[in-house]
């Protein structure tokens, strides 16, 4: 059974890689959420996560937006609260995200303050029942599928006099299908191995007060993130991370669309115990493939995860 489990894990990894390579060959039309963010949790679980994100390159804080030729420094502190409920036998995990920080593009003034607040949630559909803490400890994982949604609200610092802002000045809606194949005796197995794949689409409303124009329209952005993780002890794990993005073409007034976002980002994460049951997760990712006018640069994220 163990050999069969590893065979299925390799098969799913191969299928995920095939999907990603196929998308990369398609015609051209933000950083990822991270490994194990949407992993199944017992009913009643609450968590507060604090992220410190340092990003360097040509990407703005708005997902899927770039400024070719610019050097943009982004430093953001993000707070995320989530809780899992039992709704008709399904685990439902709403969350709220509040960012704050600063961003500055070369040759432009700094934008600082609160970023765009986000509200969203996940619902388990297949292989992801609502479980008490006792049932969760005995639950044998396998393939799981859920549905994910998020709304970005235009609450962030914004000025039409600045070419790059912390806020986007428009609503955005993201929907996705988080999938996982986990191999282990339970989700608390100290040798658990899992593959997570999250394809998603983000839709944007218009920005009616953009820099130097009357209106900015943005096409949908398609992303796929994948994480292959392995436990080395109950609280120490590492992951290989891959992110693909395509779309998000922007049209200013009645002008032509820009080239949008197209590129691959790769890196890794390491989770370590901190104090009590709090974990530290370090993530580094770098753009490894892009068009000449595509996204460029890197980001480093430090996450402090406190479940209770």
């Amino acid at each position: 059974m163990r050999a069969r489990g590893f065979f299925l894990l390799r098969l799913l990894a191969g299928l995920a890689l095939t999907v990603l390579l196929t998308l990369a060959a398609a015609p051209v039309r933000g950083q990822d959420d991270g490994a194990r963010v949407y992993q199944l949790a017992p009913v009643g679980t609450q968590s507060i996560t604090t992220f410190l994100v340092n990003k360097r390159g040509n990407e703005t804080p708005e997902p899927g937006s770039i400024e070719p030729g610019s050097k943009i420094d982004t430093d953001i502190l993000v707070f995320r609260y989530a809780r899992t409920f039992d709704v008709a036998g399904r685990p439902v995990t709403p969350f709220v995200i509040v960012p704050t920080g600063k961003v500055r593009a070369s040759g432009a003034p700094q934008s600082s303050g609160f970023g765009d607040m986000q509200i969203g949630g996940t619902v388990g559909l297949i292989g992801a029942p609502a479980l008490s803490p006792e049932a969760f400890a005995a639950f044998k994982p396998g393939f799981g599928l859920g549905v994910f949604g998020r709304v970005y609200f235009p609450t962030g610092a914004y000025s039409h006099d600045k070419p790059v802002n912390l806020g986007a000045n428009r609503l955005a809606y993201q929907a996705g299908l988080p999938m996982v194949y986990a191999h282990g005796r339970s989700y608390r197995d100290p040798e658990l191995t899992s593959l997570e794949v999250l394809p998603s689409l983000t839709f944007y409303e218009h920005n009616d007060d953009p820099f130097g124009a009357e209106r900015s329209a943005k096409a949908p952005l398609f992303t796929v993130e994948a994480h292959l993780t392995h436990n080395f002890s109950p609280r120490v794990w590492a992951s290989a991370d891959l992110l693909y993005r395509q779309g998000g073409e922007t049209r200013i007034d009645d002008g032509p669309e820009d080239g949008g976002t197209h590129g691959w980002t790769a890196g890794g994460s390491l989770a370590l115990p901190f104090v009590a049951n709090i974990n530290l997760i370090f993530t580094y990712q770098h753009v490894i493939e892009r068009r000449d006018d595509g996204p460029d640069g890197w980001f480093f994220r430090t996450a402090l995860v406190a479940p209770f």
Side-chain angles (χ1 to χ4, degrees):
M1 290 298 292
R2 189 176 183 85
R4 182 184 177 189
F6 277 115
F7 170 76
L8 290 174
L9 183 60
R10 291 196 297 269
L11 177 61
L12 188 56
L15 289 173
L17 184 58
T18 300
V19 170
L20 290 170
L21 292 174
T22 301
L23 291 169
V28 173
R29 325 177 311 181
Q31 73 204 42
D32 66 2
D33 284 343
R36 298 194 175 177
V37 171
Y38 302 119
Q39 181 173 287
L40 182 67
V43 171
T45 297
Q46 301 180 74
S47 66
I48 295 176
T49 306
T50 303
F51 304 91
L52 176 61
V53 181
N54 307 108
K55 197 169 187 176
R56 302 293 182 265
N58 64 1
E59 298 184 63
T60 76
E62 181 181 41
S65 295
I66 62 173
E67 292 288 336
S70 294
K71 181 180 181 296
I72 300 175
D73 295 345
T74 304
D75 299 291
I76 299 178
L77 187 64
V78 183
F79 302 94
R80 179 183 187 271
Y81 171 77
R83 179 168 183 168
T84 300
F85 297 90
D86 180 346
V87 179
R90 299 289 98 195
V92 176
T93 306
F95 61 80
V96 60
I97 295 174
V98 179
T100 182
K102 61 183 180 179
V103 58
R104 182 166 186 172
S106 52
Q110 177 177 288
S111 176
S112 60
F114 283 102
D116 288 344
M117 184 178 70
Q118 306 157 39
I119 294 177
T122 61
V123 180
L125 298 179
I126 299 173
L131 299 168
S132 67
E134 296 76 20
F136 178 82
F139 180 73
K140 183 172 177 58
F143 175 75
L145 171 69
V147 63
F148 158 84
R150 168 161 48 190
V151 179
Y152 295 83
F153 294 91
T155 60
Y158 184 86
S159 170
H160 68 271
D161 294 325
K162 298 177 181 179
V164 176
N165 286 275
L166 197 59
N169 197 42
R170 64 173 133 215
L171 282 162
Y173 313 92
Q174 185 182 17
L177 293 172
M179 293 174 277
V180 61
Y181 179 78
H183 178 75
R185 294 184 297 273
S186 75
Y187 277 112
R188 293 176 176 166
D189 189 337
E191 297 181 351
L192 180 73
T193 299
S194 62
L195 174 67
E196 302 164 69
V197 180
L198 173 56
S200 70
L201 271 173
T202 303
F203 301 89
Y204 304 87
E205 293 195 357
H206 295 155
N207 178 356
D208 292 322
D209 193 23
F211 174 74
E214 296 295 326
R215 192 180 77 162
S216 169
K218 192 173 181 65
L221 175 71
F222 177 70
T223 67
V224 180
E225 61 176 274
H227 309 279
L228 182 61
T229 69
H230 180 71
N231 285 7
F232 297 96
S233 76
R235 293 178 57 194
V236 177
W237 54 263
S239 72
D241 307 320
L242 189 64
L243 172 67
Y244 174 72
R245 294 170 290 177
Q246 182 171 291
E249 296 86 356
T250 300
R251 184 190 300 276
I252 303 297
D253 293 336
D254 294 324
E257 286 187 341
D258 64 14
T261 297
H262 174 275
W264 293 79
T265 303
S269 300
L270 176 65
L272 299 170
F274 186 50
V275 294
N277 62 339
I278 299 174
N279 265 29
L280 272 172
I281 304 175
F282 302 99
T283 299
Y284 176 80
Q285 291 192 8
H286 199 287
V287 174
I288 60 171
E289 188 277 331
R290 68 185 187 104
R291 293 197 326 270
D292 290 341
D293 60 349
D296 194 14
W298 57 268
F299 84 87
F300 185 81
R301 178 176 60 213
T302 304
L304 193 67
V305 184
F308 59 97

